Amino acid sequence: MKVETVDFFYLSMPEITTNADGSQDALIVRVCAGGLTGWGECEASPLVSIAAYVTPMSHGVCRPVSASVLGQTLDSPADIARMAAMVSYNSMDLLQAPHTWSGIEIALWDLLGKARGQPIFRLLGYERAHAKIPYASQLFGRTAQETLEHARAARRAGFRAVKFGWGPFGAQAVEADVEHLDAAREGLGAEGILLVDAGQVWIDDVEAAAARLPALERNRVTWLEEPFHAGALGAYATLGARTNAVKMAGGEAAHNRYMAEHLIEFGRVGFIQIDCGRIGGIGPAKQVADYAAARGVAYVNHTFTSHLALSASLQPYAGVSEHRICEYPFQPRQLAVDLTSSHIRPDGNGEIVVPETPGLGVEINEAALGHYKVDVEIKVGGRTLFPLPPRA
Amino acid sequence: MKVETVDFFYLSMPEITTNADGSQDALIVRVCAGGLTGWGECEASPLVSIAAYVTPMSHGVCRPVSASVLGQTLDSPADIARMAAMVSYNSMDLLQAPHTWSGIEIALWDLLGKARGQPIFRLLGYERAHAKIPYASQLFGRTAQETLEHARAARRAGFRAVKFGWGPFGAQAVEADVEHLDAAREGLGAEGILLVDAGQVWIDDVEAAAARLPALERNRVTWLEEPFHAGALGAYATLGARTNAVKMAGGEAAHNRYMAEHLIEFGRVGFIQIDCGRIGGIGPAKQVADYAAARGVAYVNHTFTSHLALSASLQPYAGVSEHRICEYPFQPRQLAVDLTSSHIRPDGNGEIVVPETPGLGVEINEAALGHYKVDVEIKVGGRTLFPLPPRA
């Protein structure tokens, strides 16, 4: 097969709030090759990722992502890796390129899986997919009472694990943070798995983070996610050395496998969280999963949008039975729900498993592509670069 | 002062080639505040960096760069650092943001320098600027004979240091690379400083790079730049441990100070090369210069475009007398020459020094902004986001 077309769909809720909720818009990618269609999703900033696909070349290693994809052969996983290497080299100086490529890469795997009649995890070498314990991923409440109620709601919905993040946490007084942590544990119950996401709020201030450690330890928080800037490896390692049971988690910002590997090697995180919509897709995520497993670090998916992205995020470690926890968007905006006509739901045991159906195993609801569509027009030097010309 | 307007000028040569020559296009930034004007330059991919300034918000930490700049107070270097922290946090999930912000940050320093009647290096705390030995930065010839001629030409032009990079180097047989290295040394003469830039060609293949080491050592090459992917820290450290006199160099891809610091700490480079148009501007570059100096690593500017960018790139280490070498675009395209009406030229000693005049000390040639201008139009949901509306 040859990659014939790559199309982008910028979708958005009518209103975007300043909540750290990534399900408010989406950039969906459709790839056509050999009479088949594959779908993927980029994370985030649809306009900028589209621009990185269509931009004029600046020079030999600052080419648009399209230059390394269109017309390329797609017959095997090695072809996807070859295109990934081309993007990495040809778009070396185009910072946004990995985010754009990520959605395309996922769509290529979806298409290849459909061509072979196999789910992606099998193309990655896994015999079978193991069930994961989904954690209800949500924002801290504005008050501790709200956090308590959110935790209770997740528990009622059958979740054995809950993650709270962002909101006021970390930027308010230590005492207020402690109230939220106590409320989260109370709402979840003694048995539940409690996870906390600080959203980089302390940048690289180890002492500010350490002030919350006693309450994190007392509430038996499994991981403290992104206490610091994604690049502040030293701060991660220093804080991690000062905890007992609480482990450091991070990695969602990694836009290549090296960044994730360094967070493991030098940041000494206990959980490495990979967003397939950013790191360059499923291929490099699988490399990180292998790297983590060899070092006794748990791999966790990062995803906060649609079930298309959820399925992609699960593939790289679907076959690893020991890495049990997975992120699961608990209250996504309607756009993310409507985007797919099939969904990955927890079973009676409160666990989820990636579909056995070919590719990502999740069906796109094409009506949603129209309903939430945002029109984009990009012209450079009088030439229309987007919308892309229809297929010849 | 308040930041009143930020404007972007996308400039391009009429034709863009696949040479790794970053002077073929440019994104110039103009900031107005308090009746003054500051200028900066982003590196690279003008369209994508413009998109990151104007894009609609995706969520609270995926905001356009404009959200953290317009209307902000600008009275001191601390204000620039405060805006930098805002961009870093508010545009956390917008990968292109550091490249866009870099040009703005440089323009803010230029403007602040003009407001205070001081060159930027003095605002950074340096008493005076020390002269640097510019190296003529150019591409390897297509043949060894061409490389020989290029080296001779640079020497005739008075350069005591020359860097060759890209072109066929690294991707051809070892023997062919050796011929280029021998030719470069021959053309430059026994005394000259010879530098080599591999342009990431070996990705993370240490053995492929090591096969060139004997010829690099024999030709007394001072540094081998970017043998590997910017993130392959382990490969840098491994190769560096196998050389005698040749040191590793890298860092141009760093889009925050942590990345540069890790290349020093974990990649063990001997030279850290910072592009102010990518790392977030002059502020973080100065932090890296301090970090490097404290660890006995030499700071070097990375720049391949206009003398506006050249001046910006020199400021962070202008006051460090021991770090002597600086990159100097030897044969930039006409656009990069025409962009400024003043230029930083080598003196009779073959050395350069940053201007003492306020700000960057380089005058923009406004006629060039018109002559090389590329029109860009970006519409989202029927609304024109670019060109930006004229100042009210």
Side-chain angles (χ1 to χ4, degrees):
Chain A
M1 300 184 284
K2 298 279 183 193
V3 176
E4 291 154 20
T5 56
V6 176
D7 291 297
F8 292 88
F9 301 86
Y10 178 174
L11 311 179
S12 179
M13 294 293 291
E15 252 191 286
I16 302 281
T17 74
T18 55
N19 279 351
D21 173 358
S23 72
Q24 302 182 81
D25 67 5
L27 182 62
I28 305 301
V29 184
R30 179 179 67 195
V31 173
C32 294
L36 294 167
T37 300
W39 296 92
E41 186 171 343
C42 302
E43 171 68 21
S45 199
L47 176 68
V48 183
S49 289
I50 289 171
Y53 186 78
V54 301
T55 186
M57 170 168 72
S58 283
H59 55 77
V61 293
C62 194
R63 304 189 206 200
V65 175
S66 55
S68 306
V69 177
L70 282 179
Q72 292 294 315
T73 296
L74 172 64
D75 290 322
S76 70
D79 288 321
I80 300 177
R82 184 179 45 75
M83 281 183 255
M86 285 176 67
V87 172
S88 177
Y89 190 79
N90 294 332
S91 302
M92 187 188 294
D93 287 353
L94 178 46
L95 190 49
Q96 188 72 17
H99 281 198
T100 305
W101 164 245
S102 292
I104 299 170
E105 204 255 17
I106 293 167
L108 292 171
W109 281 105
D110 186 41
L111 199 154
L112 193 63
K114 288 170 178 167
R116 297 211 178 165
Q118 296 282 350
I120 293 168
F121 65 81
R122 208 155 282 137
L123 301 185
L124 294 173
Y126 293 127
E127 287 272 315
R128 53 167 295 222
H130 293 272
K132 306 286 182 195
I133 302 171
Y135 66 82
S137 189
Q138 51 189 334
L139 305 179
F140 273 109
R142 279 164 301 177
T143 63
Q145 184 60 31
E146 262 190 28
T147 294
L148 176 74
E149 286 157 15
H150 289 340
R152 282 181 177 152
R155 188 183 180 188
R156 271 197 307 274
F159 285 94
R160 294 142 60 186
V162 173
K163 184 174 86 183
F164 285 103
W166 301 84
F169 189 78
Q172 58 191 358
V174 175
E175 297 70 28
D177 279 356
V178 171
E179 286 176 21
H180 277 269
L181 293 170
D182 291 345
R185 171 52 74 195
E186 183 186 339
L188 181 61
E191 299 305 312
I193 297 168
L194 179 58
L195 313 165
V196 170
D197 180 0
Q200 303 190 13
V201 69
W202 300 301
I203 307 175
D204 55 10
D205 183 346
V206 172
E207 293 311 318
R212 279 77 179 177
L213 280 183
L216 289 162
E217 299 272 6
R218 178 164 49 75
N219 283 297
R220 288 171 294 112
V221 168
T222 301
W223 78 54
L224 176 62
E225 176 175 339
E226 284 210 319
F228 308 117
H229 185 288
L233 302 183
Y236 280 87
T238 305
L239 185 66
R242 288 169 62 171
T243 66
N244 298 310
V246 179
K247 289 192 175 165
M248 300 295 109
E252 65 177 89
H255 55 81
N256 57 56
R257 69 178 174 88
Y258 301 113
M259 294 174 74
E261 291 171 8
H262 297 153
L263 202 54
I264 292 171
E265 187 174 355
F266 306 121
R268 301 184 179 280
V269 297
F271 294 88
I272 187 79
Q273 305 169 294
I274 300 303
D275 197 312
C276 284
R278 291 177 183 158
I279 199 169
I282 292 170
K286 171 65 162 59
Q287 290 180 305
V288 173
D290 292 345
Y291 184 96
R295 282 154 186 83
V297 166
Y299 183 100
V300 191
N301 65 322
H302 177 270
T303 190
F304 209 81
T305 59
S306 74
H307 282 206
L308 188 76
L310 173 62
S311 175
S313 78
L314 293 169
Q315 305 289 342
Y317 78 128
V320 184
S321 60
E322 315 88 74
H323 299 175
R324 286 281 281 156
I325 301 179
C326 76
E327 180 157 38
Y328 189 89
F330 180 51
Q331 290 167 319
R333 305 297 292 270
Q334 198 60 38
L335 147 61
V337 177
D338 290 350
L339 183 65
T340 57
S341 53
S342 55
H343 294 89
I344 299 169
R345 307 276 189 208
D347 61 19
N349 219 6
E351 299 188 346
I352 67 167
V353 64
V354 289
E356 280 282 338
T357 33
L360 291 171
V362 171
E363 289 297 314
I364 284 282
N365 169 21
E366 301 215 17
L369 298 183
H371 183 70
Y372 292 100
K373 187 180 180 204
V374 177
D375 284 316
V376 172
E377 197 180 324
I378 301 175
K379 282 189 196 178
V380 172
R383 224 157 43 91
T384 298
L385 302 183
F386 197 88
L388 298 163
R391 182 172 160 189
Chain B
M1 299 183 283
K2 299 278 183 195
V3 177
E4 292 153 20
T5 55
V6 176
D7 291 297
F8 292 89
F9 301 86
Y10 178 175
L11 311 180
S12 179
M13 294 293 292
E15 251 190 287
I16 303 281
T17 74
T18 56
N19 280 350
D21 172 359
S23 72
Q24 302 183 81
D25 67 5
L27 182 61
I28 305 301
V29 183
R30 181 180 64 196
V31 173
C32 294
L36 294 168
T37 300
W39 296 92
E41 186 171 344
C42 302
E43 170 69 20
S45 200
L47 175 69
V48 183
S49 289
I50 288 171
Y53 186 78
V54 301
T55 186
M57 171 168 70
S58 282
H59 54 79
V61 293
C62 193
R63 305 190 206 200
V65 174
S66 54
S68 305
V69 177
L70 283 179
Q72 292 295 313
T73 297
L74 173 64
D75 290 322
S76 70
D79 288 321
I80 300 177
R82 184 179 44 76
M83 282 183 253
M86 286 176 67
V87 172
S88 178
Y89 190 79
N90 293 334
S91 302
M92 186 187 295
D93 287 352
L94 178 47
L95 190 48
Q96 188 72 17
H99 281 199
T100 305
W101 163 246
S102 292
I104 300 170
E105 204 255 16
I106 293 167
L108 293 170
W109 281 106
D110 186 41
L111 198 153
L112 193 63
K114 287 170 179 168
R116 298 214 178 162
Q118 296 282 351
I120 292 168
F121 66 80
R122 207 154 285 137
L123 301 184
L124 294 174
Y126 294 126
E127 287 273 316
R128 55 169 291 224
H130 293 273
K132 306 286 183 195
I133 301 171
Y135 65 83
S137 191
Q138 52 189 334
L139 307 178
F140 273 109
R142 279 165 301 177
T143 63
Q145 183 62 32
E146 263 190 28
T147 294
L148 176 74
E149 286 157 15
H150 289 341
R152 282 183 177 151
R155 190 185 178 187
R156 271 197 307 272
F159 285 93
R160 293 143 60 186
V162 172
K163 184 173 87 183
F164 285 103
W166 302 85
F169 190 78
Q172 58 191 359
V174 175
E175 297 69 30
D177 280 356
V178 172
E179 286 176 21
H180 276 269
L181 294 171
D182 291 345
R185 171 52 74 195
E186 183 186 338
L188 180 61
E191 297 307 311
I193 298 169
L194 179 57
L195 313 164
V196 170
D197 179 0
Q200 302 191 15
V201 68
W202 300 300
I203 305 172
D204 55 9
D205 183 347
V206 173
E207 294 311 319
R212 277 79 177 175
L213 281 183
L216 290 162
E217 299 273 7
R218 180 163 46 75
N219 284 297
R220 289 171 292 111
V221 169
T222 301
W223 79 53
L224 176 61
E225 175 174 340
E226 285 210 318
F228 308 117
H229 185 287
L233 301 184
Y236 280 87
T238 304
L239 185 66
R242 288 169 62 171
T243 65
N244 298 309
V246 179
K247 290 193 175 165
M248 300 295 109
E252 66 177 270
H255 56 81
N256 58 56
R257 70 178 174 90
Y258 301 112
M259 294 175 75
E261 292 171 7
H262 297 152
L263 202 53
I264 291 172
E265 186 175 356
F266 306 121
R268 301 183 179 281
V269 297
F271 294 88
I272 188 78
Q273 305 168 294
I274 299 303
D275 197 314
C276 284
R278 292 178 181 157
I279 199 170
I282 291 170
K286 171 64 161 62
Q287 289 179 306
V288 173
D290 292 345
Y291 184 96
R295 282 155 186 84
V297 166
Y299 183 100
V300 191
N301 65 322
H302 178 270
T303 190
F304 208 80
T305 59
S306 75
H307 283 207
L308 189 77
L310 174 62
S311 175
S313 78
L314 292 169
Q315 305 288 341
Y317 78 127
V320 184
S321 60
E322 317 87 74
H323 298 174
R324 287 281 281 157
I325 300 180
C326 77
E327 180 158 38
Y328 189 87
F330 180 50
Q331 291 167 319
R333 303 298 292 270
Q334 197 60 38
L335 146 61
V337 178
D338 291 349
L339 184 65
T340 57
S341 52
S342 55
H343 295 89
I344 300 170
R345 306 277 187 206
D347 61 18
N349 219 6
E351 299 189 344
I352 66 168
V353 64
V354 289
E356 279 282 338
T357 32
L360 290 171
V362 171
E363 288 298 313
I364 284 282
N365 168 22
E366 301 217 15
L369 298 183
H371 183 71
Y372 292 100
K373 187 180 179 205
V374 177
D375 285 316
V376 173
E377 197 180 326
I378 301 175
K379 282 189 195 177
V380 172
R383 223 159 40 93
T384 298
L385 301 184
F386 196 90
L388 298 163
R391 183 173 162 188

